[in-house]
Amino acid sequence: MKRHRWSITLAVSLVACFLVLQEVAVRRAQALSNDTYQELDTFASVLAIVQKNYVEPVTTKKLIDGAISGMLASLDPHSAYLTPDLYRDLEVETRGSFGGLGIEITIKNGALTVVAPIEDTPAYRAGLKAGDQIIKIDDDFTKDMSLTEAVKRMRGPKGSKIRLTLHRNNVPELFTVTLARDVIKIQSVKAKMLPEGYGYIRVTTFQENTGEGVEKAIDDFESKDHGKIKGIVFDLRDNPGGLLNQAVKVSDDFLDGGLIVYTQGREENQQQKYFSHKKKDWVDYPMVVLVNGGSASASEIVAGALQDQKRAVILGTQTFGKGSVQTILPLDDHSALRLTTARYYTPAGRSIQAVGITPDVDVAPPKETIASITQQGGEFDENPEIHERDLPHHFQNGQKKDGSPATDENALPAPGADKGDKAPGAKGAKGAKAKEEKDVQLDRAIDILKHWNTFKLQLAKGETQSAVSGEGESKSKGD
């Protein structure tokens, strides 16, 4: 017995392992419906047929990767399969530095379309505009090209050249722009003092340390005015979003307690509430937030929180309407899924998915004129903005038009990504410096700050739009 003890122990262990594996297999089988098994059987048949009959040999991995990408792309515009390379790029991008062109893109009507160029990047300096359709990348047509493939094509080492063939609305001919890739280092927070003595903070994207950058700007304003702030213009125009925790942190900087945002999904860990902290020596200084159609996701979280808490006047045009939360789910092979897992809601219980934040004061920038278009034959562009509701496979916000919860089974109850104006200082497609246009939205924001006592009462009563509109109309005649 002693001589064979080790063999007996091994046999018992093998039997135990077999029983455990059998139990796991049974549980997995029980978790999948018969319909799922039938569809998987169909998928396996298609896979075998393709591998046997396709004109060229194709690997199983390539087919599986394509199937996963297509599956996620069919869900909504924001879910995606991230290969190991794309997953690494995403991690680098959230830290604020990556190699490429500096451009936000999406798919609209089957065409690769510019959402917005990022400030101080090759795309921005080359004069790319929201709504431009990218017809070709170098010599390759982009028709039916996935977003992940397009991003991969545009990334590259610093100094390497890339040609984009573009179509612009109301410009009859295609034109080509050659850009040199650069290391894109996004300075997410920019701040300055306006001539009138008000502070100006612009957040271009929500990435790591954005909250710290905003706090530093606030401290600088206080130090320049003996510990006081006369007022702040907070610019979120053309901000495509970013990290949720940074949106919460920035909102917290301007609020003195209360709910900032909450999320609702199918899993318990997707039911989250985020609150601001009570602060000592709190000062409720005047504040105007600028938004437009390029303000998306995290930007809308901040704008919605400040609007619902009546902390600031929201000024500009309707925001993008991306009210969903994407979770990065790593896989064993160092790839990952970017999966939409929840909707987010403002403190008042509003889901802005496919709707957006409606500003308290609606101020649109001047419409583009023929003279402002650099290409020959350009005409008036009526509506260059792209919104969430324009994207294929977008889902609804789960609420009725009056804001109450929808009654369908997929509704979530509510408890009790130029796109906008052209940024100043951008250069035209030929490299000539464009004439700096008057920023009517910023001017109106400053006007509101100057007359803050007039608007404060209306803000508390929710009557800001009518009051400010009347004030603006009386002044606009002399502009």
Side-chain angles (χ1 to χ4, degrees), residues 142 157 310 437 463 479:
T142 61
K310 303 190 186 317
E437 298 176 357
E463 301 171 354
D479 290 345

Side-chain angles (χ1 to χ4, degrees), residues 274-293:
Y274 300 88
F275 294 88
S276 64
H277 300 86
K278 296 292 291 184
K279 302 170 180 67
K280 295 181 180 179
D281 303 323
W282 169 252
V283 178
D284 188 14
Y285 48 79
M287 184 175 181
V288 178
V289 179
L290 302 181
V291 297
N292 65 1

Side-chain angles (χ1 to χ4, degrees), residues 270-396:
Q270 294 156 3
Q271 321 291 327
Q272 301 287 339
K273 291 185 177 182
Y274 300 88
F275 294 88
S276 64
H277 300 86
K278 296 292 291 184
K279 302 170 180 67
K280 295 181 180 179
D281 303 323
W282 169 252
V283 178
D284 188 14
Y285 48 79
M287 184 175 181
V288 178
V289 179
L290 302 181
V291 297
N292 65 1
S295 307
S297 193
S299 302
E300 295 171 296
I301 289 176
V302 176
L306 298 179
Q307 185 178 55
D308 282 1
Q309 296 235 31
K310 303 190 186 317
R311 172 65 182 89
V313 170
I314 311 300
L315 183 150
T317 57
Q318 195 83 4
T319 61
F320 185 76
K322 181 182 177 295
S324 60
V325 179
Q326 281 69 48
T327 302
I328 303 299
L329 304 172
L331 301 177
D332 293 338
D333 63 348
H334 304 293
S335 62
L337 304 182
R338 183 175 65 213
L339 191 65
T340 300
T341 55
R343 292 179 175 90
Y344 67 72
Y345 295 80
T346 69
R350 294 182 294 159
S351 169
I352 61 169
Q353 171 61 25
V355 176
I357 295 291
T358 301
D360 301 308
V361 185
D362 191 354
V363 179
K367 289 185 177 181
E368 190 174 40
T369 62
I370 296 176
S372 68
I373 299 177
T374 59
Q375 300 301 312
Q376 291 291 333
E379 297 179 3
F380 215 76
D381 187 355
E382 291 292 340
N383 184 19
E385 291 192 349
I386 303 169
H387 293 85
E388 173 82 7
R389 61 179 176 269
D390 299 321
L391 303 183
H393 308 303
H394 77 271
F395 58 90
Q396 299 303 316

Side-chain angles (χ1 to χ4, degrees), residues 39-79:
E39 296 301 330
L40 288 175
D41 189 40
T42 301
F43 174 78
S45 298
V46 172
L47 182 69
I49 291 171
V50 171
Q51 286 187 311
K52 181 179 179 181
N53 295 282
Y54 189 64
V55 63
E56 294 179 349
V58 59
T59 65
T60 301
K61 177 173 176 52
K62 181 176 181 179
L63 292 175
I64 295 296
D65 284 352
I68 296 173
S69 296
M71 173 177 62
L72 293 171
S74 70
L75 297 176
D76 64 75
H78 310 294
S79 295

